[in-house]
Amino acid sequence: MSESGKKLTIVGAGAVGTSAAHWAVSRKVAQEIVMVDVVDGIPQGKALDISQSAPLCGFHGSVIGTCDYKDTAGSDVVIITAGLARKPGMSRDDLLSKNVEIVKQVTENIVSQSPEAVIVVVTNPIDAMVYTVFKVSGFPKNRVVGMAGVLDSARYRTFLAKALGVAPRDVTALVMGIHGDNMLPLTRLASVAGVPVEQLLSKQQLEEIVRRTKYGGGEIVQHLKTGSAFTTPGLCAIEMAQSVLFDEKRVLPCAAYLEGEFGIDGVFLGVPVVLGRGGVERIVEFELTEQERAALEKSVEAVKKQVAATGL
Ligand code: APR
């Protein structure tokens, strides 16, 4: 793949933002990559480091670090990772009050410089932060999208592949709903090369995999103690950005604004979407079982609580 000729901004040059920039260069998704942070020196140093991988990656574009949003002007895609990350004992909801203020301020700056951008929100709690960006930006719903389902599905696929003893890329699986304990890994639709996993693994094995997927982020926080997952979250954000920058029309589970789809209205929730140049070009709606619908309702309730806490 060669660079899209496009401009990508990553706000927050912390662990996730740095991972995203690294993957953006190695996948050559944009001609210009800009890293922004509030702490002077961090984005500049990280961008310089990453830019020096260009000869090894075959990357022909530029990577710059800055604290000045003017440098982000005219971005096609903006990934927001700015904000606090979890520590052991914290839920994603515990981050809300601090991160909502950060995300509001970041959004205002982004909108002033890149009024046509597609914004990919990574800051947690994602389902409330993506709503915050939507409200503050005034952007149409298709240009604001949250990164959660790609990560949760990657975790689900990894655990399924391990249990099956097969290549992870041959496992297809969908996780819908909130990025939190009430997420919905759909066992019924998980398959390996088209073969339903329900026919290959026991109910007990599948239940354990679903449980581990739901707490996949927390498991990493427990190990790290000083922060949360960053390598794969950064890649997942780039997977989404790439689909927009190259108009790939990938079908990826993302937090999208629902207006009646799946019988849900007025919230961002993880659903399968078609991601292309216009951002969320379509939500792929399908029939849920009664049990799945009830589980999704739980997600909706949890997201609504988060959104109420933003005060927006
Ligand atoms: N504008 C720009 N950058 C900011 C701002 C702001 N207003 N406030 C904080 N930051 C920066 C910090 O300076 C830091 O460099 O955001 C970065 C966050 O980095 P980390 O603390 O390493 O956190 P990280 O692990 O990257 O997680 C960031 O992504 O996955 C989510 O839950 C995670 O909400 C968290 C976010």
PDB file of all heavy atoms in Angstrom, residues 276-292:
ATOM      1  N   GLY A 276     -16.314   4.429   4.984  1.00  0.00           N
ATOM      2  CA  GLY A 276     -15.702   4.878   3.731  1.00  0.00           C
ATOM      3  C   GLY A 276     -15.339   6.346   3.810  1.00  0.00           C
ATOM      4  O   GLY A 276     -15.289   6.917   4.909  1.00  0.00           O
ATOM      5  N   ARG A 277     -15.119   6.944   2.658  1.00  0.00           N
ATOM      6  CA  ARG A 277     -14.686   8.339   2.619  1.00  0.00           C
ATOM      7  C   ARG A 277     -15.599   9.256   3.426  1.00  0.00           C
ATOM      8  O   ARG A 277     -15.147  10.209   4.043  1.00  0.00           O
ATOM      9  CB  ARG A 277     -14.621   8.802   1.161  1.00  0.00           C
ATOM     10  CG  ARG A 277     -14.049  10.189   1.004  1.00  0.00           C
ATOM     11  CD  ARG A 277     -13.154  10.284  -0.188  1.00  0.00           C
ATOM     12  NE  ARG A 277     -11.975   9.462  -0.020  1.00  0.00           N
ATOM     13  CZ  ARG A 277     -11.274   8.929  -1.018  1.00  0.00           C
ATOM     14  NH1 ARG A 277     -11.657   9.126  -2.252  1.00  0.00           N
ATOM     15  NH2 ARG A 277     -10.201   8.213  -0.776  1.00  0.00           N
ATOM     16  N   GLY A 278     -16.887   8.972   3.421  1.00  0.00           N
ATOM     17  CA  GLY A 278     -17.837   9.832   4.137  1.00  0.00           C
ATOM     18  C   GLY A 278     -17.924   9.503   5.618  1.00  0.00           C
ATOM     19  O   GLY A 278     -18.761  10.056   6.315  1.00  0.00           O
ATOM     20  N   GLY A 279     -17.107   8.596   6.091  1.00  0.00           N
ATOM     21  CA  GLY A 279     -17.208   8.159   7.487  1.00  0.00           C
ATOM     22  C   GLY A 279     -18.156   6.970   7.569  1.00  0.00           C
ATOM     23  O   GLY A 279     -18.024   6.019   6.788  1.00  0.00           O
ATOM     24  N   VAL A 280     -19.130   7.055   8.476  1.00  0.00           N
ATOM     25  CA  VAL A 280     -20.107   5.957   8.602  1.00  0.00           C
ATOM     26  C   VAL A 280     -21.093   6.086   7.436  1.00  0.00           C
ATOM     27  O   VAL A 280     -21.986   6.925   7.452  1.00  0.00           O
ATOM     28  CB  VAL A 280     -20.863   6.038   9.953  1.00  0.00           C
ATOM     29  CG1 VAL A 280     -21.941   4.955  10.024  1.00  0.00           C
ATOM     30  CG2 VAL A 280     -19.882   5.884  11.105  1.00  0.00           C
ATOM     31  N   GLU A 281     -20.909   5.262   6.420  1.00  0.00           N
ATOM     32  CA  GLU A 281     -21.751   5.395   5.227  1.00  0.00           C
ATOM     33  C   GLU A 281     -23.051   4.618   5.371  1.00  0.00           C
ATOM     34  O   GLU A 281     -24.041   4.941   4.729  1.00  0.00           O
ATOM     35  CB  GLU A 281     -20.964   4.953   3.994  1.00  0.00           C
ATOM     36  CG  GLU A 281     -19.753   5.878   3.793  1.00  0.00           C
ATOM     37  CD  GLU A 281     -19.033   5.700   2.477  1.00  0.00           C
ATOM     38  OE1 GLU A 281     -19.255   4.678   1.792  1.00  0.00           O
ATOM     39  OE2 GLU A 281     -18.219   6.584   2.146  1.00  0.00           O
ATOM     40  N   ARG A 282     -23.041   3.602   6.207  1.00  0.00           N
ATOM     41  CA  ARG A 282     -24.249   2.786   6.371  1.00  0.00           C
ATOM     42  C   ARG A 282     -24.118   1.955   7.642  1.00  0.00           C
ATOM     43  O   ARG A 282     -23.009   1.554   7.995  1.00  0.00           O
ATOM     44  CB  ARG A 282     -24.371   1.835   5.173  1.00  0.00           C
ATOM     45  CG  ARG A 282     -25.690   1.167   5.006  1.00  0.00           C
ATOM     46  CD  ARG A 282     -25.944   0.832   3.529  1.00  0.00           C
ATOM     47  NE  ARG A 282     -24.847   0.133   2.872  1.00  0.00           N
ATOM     48  CZ  ARG A 282     -24.702  -1.202   2.850  1.00  0.00           C
ATOM     49  NH1 ARG A 282     -25.557  -1.981   3.463  1.00  0.00           N
ATOM     50  NH2 ARG A 282     -23.692  -1.750   2.197  1.00  0.00           N
ATOM     51  N   ILE A 283     -25.228   1.733   8.306  1.00  0.00           N
ATOM     52  CA  ILE A 283     -25.243   0.804   9.431  1.00  0.00           C
ATOM     53  C   ILE A 283     -25.824  -0.507   8.904  1.00  0.00           C
ATOM     54  O   ILE A 283     -26.849  -0.499   8.223  1.00  0.00           O
ATOM     55  CB  ILE A 283     -26.070   1.373  10.599  1.00  0.00           C
ATOM     56  CG1 ILE A 283     -25.323   2.569  11.206  1.00  0.00           C
ATOM     57  CG2 ILE A 283     -26.348   0.305  11.662  1.00  0.00           C
ATOM     58  CD1 ILE A 283     -26.093   3.396  12.184  1.00  0.00           C
ATOM     59  N   VAL A 284     -25.130  -1.594   9.176  1.00  0.00           N
ATOM     60  CA  VAL A 284     -25.593  -2.891   8.663  1.00  0.00           C
ATOM     61  C   VAL A 284     -26.526  -3.501   9.709  1.00  0.00           C
ATOM     62  O   VAL A 284     -26.085  -4.030  10.725  1.00  0.00           O
ATOM     63  CB  VAL A 284     -24.406  -3.830   8.359  1.00  0.00           C
ATOM     64  CG1 VAL A 284     -24.908  -5.141   7.756  1.00  0.00           C
ATOM     65  CG2 VAL A 284     -23.407  -3.158   7.414  1.00  0.00           C
ATOM     66  N   GLU A 285     -27.808  -3.366   9.428  1.00  0.00           N
ATOM     67  CA  GLU A 285     -28.818  -3.817  10.382  1.00  0.00           C
ATOM     68  C   GLU A 285     -29.220  -5.255  10.078  1.00  0.00           C
ATOM     69  O   GLU A 285     -29.284  -5.637   8.911  1.00  0.00           O
ATOM     70  CB  GLU A 285     -30.043  -2.905  10.237  1.00  0.00           C
ATOM     71  CG  GLU A 285     -30.796  -2.694  11.516  1.00  0.00           C
ATOM     72  CD  GLU A 285     -31.981  -1.764  11.318  1.00  0.00           C
ATOM     73  OE1 GLU A 285     -32.028  -1.039  10.302  1.00  0.00           O
ATOM     74  OE2 GLU A 285     -32.848  -1.784  12.201  1.00  0.00           O
ATOM     75  N   PHE A 286     -29.476  -6.034  11.083  1.00  0.00           N
ATOM     76  CA  PHE A 286     -29.924  -7.412  10.879  1.00  0.00           C
ATOM     77  C   PHE A 286     -30.788  -7.831  12.060  1.00  0.00           C
ATOM     78  O   PHE A 286     -30.851  -7.148  13.073  1.00  0.00           O
ATOM     79  CB  PHE A 286     -28.711  -8.358  10.692  1.00  0.00           C
ATOM     80  CG  PHE A 286     -27.810  -8.416  11.901  1.00  0.00           C
ATOM     81  CD1 PHE A 286     -27.942  -9.434  12.846  1.00  0.00           C
ATOM     82  CD2 PHE A 286     -26.840  -7.440  12.119  1.00  0.00           C
ATOM     83  CE1 PHE A 286     -27.130  -9.484  13.953  1.00  0.00           C
ATOM     84  CE2 PHE A 286     -26.025  -7.479  13.244  1.00  0.00           C
ATOM     85  CZ  PHE A 286     -26.164  -8.502  14.156  1.00  0.00           C
ATOM     86  N   GLU A 287     -31.434  -8.962  11.891  1.00  0.00           N
ATOM     87  CA  GLU A 287     -32.365  -9.478  12.896  1.00  0.00           C
ATOM     88  C   GLU A 287     -31.611 -10.024  14.112  1.00  0.00           C
ATOM     89  O   GLU A 287     -30.694 -10.831  13.948  1.00  0.00           O
ATOM     90  CB  GLU A 287     -33.155 -10.620  12.224  1.00  0.00           C
ATOM     91  CG  GLU A 287     -34.477 -10.936  12.837  1.00  0.00           C
ATOM     92  CD  GLU A 287     -35.527  -9.855  12.590  1.00  0.00           C
ATOM     93  OE1 GLU A 287     -35.574  -9.265  11.489  1.00  0.00           O
ATOM     94  OE2 GLU A 287     -36.286  -9.604  13.530  1.00  0.00           O
ATOM     95  N   LEU A 288     -31.997  -9.592  15.299  1.00  0.00           N
ATOM     96  CA  LEU A 288     -31.401 -10.140  16.526  1.00  0.00           C
ATOM     97  C   LEU A 288     -32.368 -11.128  17.154  1.00  0.00           C
ATOM     98  O   LEU A 288     -33.587 -10.995  16.986  1.00  0.00           O
ATOM     99  CB  LEU A 288     -31.132  -9.012  17.533  1.00  0.00           C
ATOM    100  CG  LEU A 288     -30.091  -7.951  17.158  1.00  0.00           C
ATOM    101  CD1 LEU A 288     -30.109  -6.821  18.179  1.00  0.00           C
ATOM    102  CD2 LEU A 288     -28.697  -8.558  17.080  1.00  0.00           C
ATOM    103  N   THR A 289     -31.848 -12.094  17.918  1.00  0.00           N
ATOM    104  CA  THR A 289     -32.735 -12.981  18.677  1.00  0.00           C
ATOM    105  C   THR A 289     -33.252 -12.187  19.879  1.00  0.00           C
ATOM    106  O   THR A 289     -32.702 -11.127  20.219  1.00  0.00           O
ATOM    107  CB  THR A 289     -31.993 -14.229  19.195  1.00  0.00           C
ATOM    108  OG1 THR A 289     -31.023 -13.783  20.162  1.00  0.00           O
ATOM    109  CG2 THR A 289     -31.296 -14.978  18.083  1.00  0.00           C
ATOM    110  N   GLU A 290     -34.260 -12.733  20.539  1.00  0.00           N
ATOM    111  CA  GLU A 290     -34.824 -12.033  21.708  1.00  0.00           C
ATOM    112  C   GLU A 290     -33.780 -11.838  22.797  1.00  0.00           C
ATOM    113  O   GLU A 290     -33.695 -10.785  23.429  1.00  0.00           O
ATOM    114  CB  GLU A 290     -35.996 -12.834  22.260  1.00  0.00           C
ATOM    115  CG  GLU A 290     -37.313 -12.113  22.034  1.00  0.00           C
ATOM    116  CD  GLU A 290     -38.484 -12.952  22.471  1.00  0.00           C
ATOM    117  OE1 GLU A 290     -38.520 -13.312  23.662  1.00  0.00           O
ATOM    118  OE2 GLU A 290     -39.342 -13.234  21.610  1.00  0.00           O
ATOM    119  N   GLN A 291     -32.976 -12.874  22.985  1.00  0.00           N
ATOM    120  CA  GLN A 291     -31.930 -12.825  24.010  1.00  0.00           C
ATOM    121  C   GLN A 291     -30.879 -11.746  23.684  1.00  0.00           C
ATOM    122  O   GLN A 291     -30.452 -10.986  24.550  1.00  0.00           O
ATOM    123  CB  GLN A 291     -31.254 -14.187  24.069  1.00  0.00           C
ATOM    124  CG  GLN A 291     -30.731 -14.546  25.419  1.00  0.00           C
ATOM    125  CD  GLN A 291     -29.994 -15.885  25.359  1.00  0.00           C
ATOM    126  OE1 GLN A 291     -29.895 -16.514  24.297  1.00  0.00           O
ATOM    127  NE2 GLN A 291     -29.482 -16.309  26.489  1.00  0.00           N
ATOM    128  N   GLU A 292     -30.495 -11.689  22.414  1.00  0.00           N
ATOM    129  CA  GLU A 292     -29.510 -10.686  21.985  1.00  0.00           C
ATOM    130  C   GLU A 292     -30.079  -9.275  22.131  1.00  0.00           C
ATOM    131  O   GLU A 292     -29.389  -8.351  22.572  1.00  0.00           O
ATOM    132  CB  GLU A 292     -29.100 -10.937  20.525  1.00  0.00           C
ATOM    133  CG  GLU A 292     -28.242 -12.172  20.334  1.00  0.00           C
ATOM    134  CD  GLU A 292     -28.201 -12.665  18.895  1.00  0.00           C
ATOM    135  OE1 GLU A 292     -28.900 -12.093  18.026  1.00  0.00           O
ATOM    136  OE2 GLU A 292     -27.482 -13.640  18.633  1.00  0.00           O
TER     137      GLU A 292
END
